[in-house]
Amino acid sequence: MTRSLEVFILAKFISIFNNKGGVGKTTLTWNIADMLAEMEKRVLLIDFDPQCNLSIAVLGGDEFKRLVSNTASPQTVRAFLQGYLQNTGPGPATVHSGEFTNANVKLLAGDFWLNVYSDSLSVGNDLLTGNGIAKFTALRTLEAKLSEQGEQFDYVLIDLPPSFGGLVRSALYSSDYLLVPCTSDTFSEYCIGLISQMLPQFVADWDNGLQRFKQNNYGSKEYDGLGKPQYAGWIFNGFDTRSNKMLRADQAHYKSIESANLALVSDLKNNIGTYNAVLDFDLSGYNIGKVEDMNVIIQNSLWQSIPAHRMDSHLQVKNLTGDKQKWSKSQMKLIGEVRTQIQGIAKSIVDNL
Ligand SMILES: Nc1ncnc2c1ncn2[C@@H]1O[C@H](COP(=O)(O)OP(=O)(O)OP(=O)(O)O)[C@@H](O)[C@H]1O
Ligand SMILES: [Mg+2]
């Protein structure tokens, strides 16, 4: 019997991470996912941050609260992961759609309970012994489970908290690629250096754990291919422009962040010997795109749960009482520019990853 080719296409997992908070991880994840969906890609968004900002952005605060407070029948990531804590394995996986986010995007909603899951992920007991390796790759099991339910994806984008804890480890072990958003400041540049230090250690821990797992499980190949995330570039977010040109200060930051990323590439190549930890692609300075300061558009995007690059087909809300008005000409122009920028990043993902 022949099966459709589609069944064999595995989604590409992309972690979007910078240890620096507030660099635009969540905003970019949402907007890029929506744009990929416009390009007819099927996208799963995973909110793996206990702050749940992505879920609130996509679903709106009220709908998200309704989901989380339904503890009798939880419909968040908690329902799927809880069984891993009791060693009963994965639970039900339910995904959701946002009213204004492209219908090809599905969301596994976050949950404040992720803090509990994060605390339960023990590097010593679960990973290095090889006994709890499944807890660190649960997101791959999620994909398999959704696929059995008829939900298949081309890309899985994972939004993460700004810390190098268990959730980030687990997302990286489950990911094919890592993208790093950076804002125009010294802290974001500093944090790139931390990725140089942490990722090789994470990979070494994984390799040790997997070896132990194989010893205890007669050479099982179950987790082969995981624990090998490739660095796939950085995104410059929130810079200022005047007359369509990046401001001088931002140009200077761009250059130093680019150098930090080139140093990261070299460190990863030198310090991870078990696989090619940097995606081979021909992009100057590993920058896969830029998004300028979206200004007032971003608040409106969040208030209305509409991706920023599509705000031009919606009126702007003037205040939280809900009065609406048209965008000014310059605001419409900015939305158009942001749209082109997000399109560029999505195209780069489709072309290179
Ligand atoms: N290009 C941009 N222009 C203007 N504001 C932006 C831009 N990108 C993000 N923001 C705003 O900056 C703030 C931080 O963005 P966001 O929540 O996406 O960052 P984050 O990296 O996910 O933060 P955290 O580390 O807390 O998860 C938000 O208020 C968001 O609306
Ligand atoms: Mg965030």
Side-chain angles (χ1 to χ4, degrees):
M1 190 177 81
T2 54
R3 295 167 76 193
S4 92
L5 183 65
E6 200 176 58
V7 173
F8 295 101
I9 297 174
L10 287 176
K12 290 173 181 163
F13 275 63
I14 308 173
S15 279
I16 303 193
F17 175 69
N18 187 331
N19 179 48
K20 165 106 175 66
V23 293
K25 295 180 284 294
T26 303
T27 309
L28 293 171
T29 303
W30 177 31
N31 280 275
I32 294 168
D34 186 75
M35 187 58 80
L36 285 168
E38 272 192 31
M39 296 174 170
E40 312 213 327
K41 304 294 177 192
R42 299 159 303 177
V43 186
L44 173 64
L45 280 175
I46 298 181
D47 189 349
F48 218 39
D49 180 354
Q51 296 182 94
C52 306
N53 293 349
L54 180 64
S55 308
I56 295 166
V58 175
L59 301 174
D62 292 343
E63 174 63 4
F64 175 65
K65 268 186 224 148
R66 197 185 64 75
L67 288 185
V68 196
S69 51
N70 185 354
T71 43
S73 166
Q75 292 182 14
T76 65
V77 65
R78 177 176 186 167
F80 177 73
L81 289 178
Q82 196 145 24
Y84 282 90
L85 301 193
Q86 288 109 23
N87 290 326
T88 51
T94 314
V95 287
H96 302 274
S97 302
E99 186 180 354
F100 299 107
T101 299
N102 190 297
N104 281 337
V105 177
K106 299 285 159 57
L107 168 79
L108 179 74
D111 198 302
F112 307 113
W113 173 87
L114 277 170
N115 285 308
V116 176
Y117 192 70
S118 177
D119 285 347
S120 84
L121 290 166
S122 158
V123 174
N125 290 334
D126 295 325
L127 183 62
L128 295 178
T129 60
N131 294 334
I133 212 165
K135 276 169 87 176
F136 281 88
T137 54
L139 297 183
R140 284 285 179 164
T141 308
L142 169 82
E143 187 212 2
K145 181 141 194 171
L146 286 172
S147 174
E148 279 166 24
Q149 293 171 200
E151 298 271 12
Q152 286 175 344
F153 301 98
D154 301 299
Y155 293 97
V156 178
L157 268 52
I158 311 172
D159 186 33
L160 290 163
S163 73
F164 278 107
L167 295 172
V168 169
R169 255 185 201 262
S170 141
L172 289 173
Y173 293 152
S174 304
S175 289
D176 303 293
Y177 303 106
L178 161 66
L179 285 175
V180 184
C182 299
T183 39
S184 179
D185 57 65
T186 315
F187 300 129
S188 229
E189 182 192 329
Y190 169 73
C191 285
I192 294 159
L194 295 180
I195 300 176
S196 290
Q197 293 171 35
M198 299 305 287
L199 193 56
Q201 184 58 52
F202 281 9
V203 170
D205 292 343
W206 171 266
D207 290 343
N208 285 330
L210 184 59
Q211 202 183 356
R212 288 292 291 274
F213 174 82
K214 287 184 176 219
Q215 281 164 4
N216 301 339
N217 292 276
Y218 309 104
S220 160
K221 294 192 181 336
E222 192 179 345
Y223 298 102
D224 285 7
L226 298 184
K228 296 177 170 46
Q230 284 190 308
Y231 168 77
W234 65 285
I235 300 165
F236 195 45
N237 185 40
F239 61 90
D240 275 322
T241 55
R242 294 275 187 285
S243 327
N244 286 334
K245 278 181 78 179
M246 201 187 285
L247 291 189
R248 276 242 178 104
D250 288 336
Q251 284 177 29
H253 275 301
Y254 182 94
K255 279 283 153 211
S256 36
I257 295 171
E258 182 182 67
S259 305
N261 275 278
L262 288 171
L264 170 65
V265 165
S266 147
D267 286 345
L268 295 180
K269 284 185 173 170
N270 290 333
N271 298 328
I272 300 181
T274 45
Y275 70 98
N276 186 359
V278 177
L279 179 67
D280 280 324
F281 65 134
D282 187 19
L283 267 184
S284 119
Y286 283 88
N287 176 265
I288 73 150
K290 310 178 185 62
V291 178
E292 66 187 275
D293 187 339
M294 294 187 252
N295 228 307
V296 61
I297 290 151
I298 199 78
Q299 276 115 343
N300 247 273
S301 156
L302 291 169
W303 282 345
Q304 302 194 62
S305 288
I306 302 167
H309 61 91
R310 286 209 272 116
M311 287 307 297
D312 52 359
S313 39
H314 298 265
L315 292 173
Q316 68 167 307
V317 173
K318 275 201 295 187
N319 47 42
L320 283 176
T321 54
D323 298 335
K324 293 199 173 179
Q325 67 182 25
K326 283 187 179 167
W327 295 103
S328 71
K329 247 188 175 168
S330 61
Q331 287 168 330
M332 287 294 274
K333 184 163 166 274
L334 176 59
I335 298 170
E337 280 159 9
V338 164
R339 182 174 177 77
T340 307
Q341 291 160 353
I342 305 268
Q343 244 163 2
I345 296 169
K347 185 167 181 322
S348 188
I349 290 175
V350 171
D351 290 348
N352 296 299
L353 271 60

